[in-house]
């Protein structure tokens, strides 16, 4: 039996993206199923898959159930140490784990004000003081990691730290958030990752527009690195 993963709409579900990216980026096979968040069938489909009301949900080959993207990340890093999901260097590994945990539990102002949307970008978004504070913290964390590693990703090679910050990079690009040149370069690197491109393109084909995510601002084409 293979891993089985249940996700929501690719265009909007940042946690589904975090659940899927480790499989795609590190070549771990997974059988993918999808459900529609906010639909009448969502709760019953998640329950039937074995989840508790949210996505992503992962079934392991042995029948274990993981209902949180952080749990999925730790499980895969432990199960596939040869894949390099976390840095080998003990100090870098500890720092990466700390960044992942901070992303998982923090940056709520930015996440709440700027829902992930891979179908469009927005013009004229006004950055609040709380969102700016989150951006300042992100830029400090990213610049320190990139300075130590030399890039192009936070710890040199792509890792779970980049997986967890991918939806934030998408938000920065989609809302035109003000960041310094180093941060903008990292955002561009994130958006150019083949797995991100694959995820976005699938969402454009499969997802319907969700009115809940309309910001009431003028729309722009989503910025694609080229």
């Amino acid at each position: 039996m293979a891993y089985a993963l249940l996700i929501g709409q690719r265009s909007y579900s940042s946690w589904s993206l975090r659940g899927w990216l480790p499989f795609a980026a590190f070549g771990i096979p997974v059988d993918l199923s999808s459900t529609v968040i906010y639909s009448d069938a969502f709760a019953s489909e998640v329950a039937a898959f074995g989840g508790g009301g949210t996505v992503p949900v992962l079934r392991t080959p042995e029948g274990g159930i993981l209902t949180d993207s952080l749990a999925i990340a730790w499980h895969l890093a432990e199960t596939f140490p040869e894949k390099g999901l976390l840095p080998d260097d003990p100090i870098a590994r500890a720092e990466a784990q700390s960044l992942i945990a901070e992303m998982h539990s923090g940056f709520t102002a930015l996440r709440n004000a700027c829902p992930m949307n891979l179908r469009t970008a927005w013009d004229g978004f006004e950055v609040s003081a709380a969102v700016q504070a989150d951006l300042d913290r992100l830029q400090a964390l990213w610049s320190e990691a990139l300075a130590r590693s030399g890039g192009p990703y936070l710890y040199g090679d792509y890792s779970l730290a980049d997986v967890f910050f991918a939806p934030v990079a998408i938000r920065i690009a989609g809302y035109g958030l003000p960041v310094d040149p180093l941060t903008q370069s990292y955002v561009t690197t994130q958006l150019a990752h083949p797995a991100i491109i694959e995820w976005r393109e699938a969402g454009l084909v499969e997802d319907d527009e969700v009115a809940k995510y309309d910001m009431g601002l003028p729309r722009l084409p989503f910025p694609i690195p080229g």
Side-chain angles (χ1 to χ4, degrees):
M1 292 180 62
Y3 284 96
L5 181 68
L6 180 68
I7 61 170
Q9 295 98 308
R10 289 172 174 85
S11 298
Y12 304 108
S13 181
S14 59
W15 292 114
S16 293
L17 173 57
R18 288 186 179 96
W20 175 83
L21 265 178
F23 291 97
F26 295 97
I28 302 171
V30 64
D31 294 332
L32 202 59
S33 300
S34 61
T35 183
V36 177
I37 302 170
Y38 308 118
S39 71
D40 292 339
F42 176 72
S44 61
E45 290 177 352
V46 172
F49 199 86
T54 59
V55 287
V57 184
L58 180 68
R59 287 202 304 257
T60 71
E62 299 78 20
I65 299 291
L66 295 92
T67 60
D68 182 274
S69 61
L70 185 58
I72 293 170
W74 293 159
H75 168 80
L76 294 177
E78 180 182 72
T79 304
F80 299 98
E82 74 283 1
K83 296 285 189 180
L85 277 74
L86 289 169
D88 289 331
D89 176 77
I91 294 176
R93 188 182 187 90
E95 291 175 352
Q97 289 173 309
S98 181
L99 262 65
I100 291 164
E102 183 169 349
M103 180 65 251
H104 186 263
S105 62
F107 304 101
T108 53
L110 173 57
R111 285 154 58 179
N112 290 336
C114 305
M116 190 181 86
N117 190 335
L118 279 161
R119 302 181 69 84
T120 189
W122 304 104
D123 188 24
F125 178 80
E126 295 185 5
V127 177
S128 69
V131 171
Q132 186 61 56
D134 279 351
L135 287 172
D136 292 344
R137 176 60 177 164
L138 279 169
Q139 291 178 102
L141 291 173
W142 291 358
S143 63
E144 290 171 6
L146 290 167
R148 285 192 295 266
S149 71
Y153 295 104
L154 293 176
Y155 293 93
D157 293 332
Y158 195 79
S159 75
L160 287 174
D162 303 294
V163 166
F164 269 71
F165 283 109
V168 174
I170 291 167
R171 288 172 162 97
I172 290 172
Y175 289 82
L177 302 181
V179 293
D180 60 43
L182 179 63
T183 300
Q184 187 60 57
S185 177
Y186 175 65
V187 168
T188 301
T189 298
Q190 278 269 25
L191 296 182
H193 193 285
I196 297 294
I197 294 172
E198 176 187 344
W199 177 269
R200 179 176 182 271
E201 289 178 350
L204 292 176
V205 172
E206 298 174 12
D207 298 341
D208 292 326
E209 186 88 15
V210 178
K212 178 182 176 69
Y213 290 93
D214 190 341
M215 298 299 293
L217 295 170
R219 295 182 178 230
L220 297 170
F222 189 86
I224 302 300

